[in-house]
Amino acid sequence: AQSVAQPEDQVNVAEGNPLTVKCTYSVSGNPYLFWYVQYPNRGLQFLLKYITGDNLVKGSYGFEAEFNKSQTSFHLKKPSALVSDSALYFCAVRRSGNTPLVFGKGTRLSVIA
Amino acid sequence: SAVISQKPSRDICQRGTSLTIQCQVDSQVTMMFWYRQQPGQSLTLIATANQGSEATYESGFVIDKFPISRPNLTFSTLTVSNMSPEDSSIYLCSAAGTGNTGELFFGEGSRLTVL
């Protein structure tokens, strides 16, 4: 079975500071890892994914994530946070093939001006 | 990428009634899934909508409560039957395109409130 853990319910960061949203995963075989963002009253928007290749992947809106196989982690990062980044962030994992995503519980990011 | 349209976007329903949510994708997709997001919670997979055959339900979800149709490669419906206040949630349709490494695309969701 596959699972995702997001250990923080809430992350607060000052605007302009770097941000990190943590995610660890458990899956048999090679993981396909994803980050999504959800703004209030909206659906999920895809940010970035790791399938294979470089451990550091870059995505939308200046976000990036680092895949660490030994630590089974896929933390989301951004060098300089914006107030508009305030939203709910979900980490997700899937196995290969056309399988559905399994989501973490979500982390609410609040960027304070 | 795929653009997914869901309707209704929101509705207020009476206990004991049923509501059908429609999901339309702007291109043919291999896989379609239905998720539920209860208030303040993460997304839980309800079922995989299989084209031309019965949906595959996750543990805790049954066809009588959540019948699903998928008549072709671009359209699916989810019905929430005999609703109770516990069914108040956001229901999200998602789709995967061709290939086996892609992300899922999501609709905007259908927010149901059951009184």
Side-chain angles (χ1 to χ4, degrees), chain A residues 82-94:
Chain A
L82 300 173
V83 172
S84 58
D85 293 330
S86 299
L88 188 56
Y89 290 81
F90 290 99
C91 182
V93 66
R94 71 190 294 193

Side-chain angles (χ1 to χ4, degrees), chain B residues 25-79:
Chain B
V25 189
D26 69 343
S27 58
Q28 292 187 343
V29 291
T30 52
M31 305 291 286
M32 294 182 74
F33 307 98
W34 286 97
Y35 285 85
R36 181 175 73 180
Q37 186 178 22
Q38 294 179 301
Q41 303 292 317
S42 184
L43 283 78
T44 301
L45 180 67
I46 297 172
T48 300
N50 300 309
Q51 194 266 327
S53 64
E54 192 171 285
T56 304
Y57 290 85
E58 297 298 303
S59 175
F61 297 96
V62 295
I63 188 172
D64 289 347
K65 176 67 175 177
F66 298 101
I68 288 171
S69 77
R70 189 179 173 193
N72 56 51
L73 293 177
T74 64
F75 186 77
S76 178
T77 67
L78 168 74
T79 299

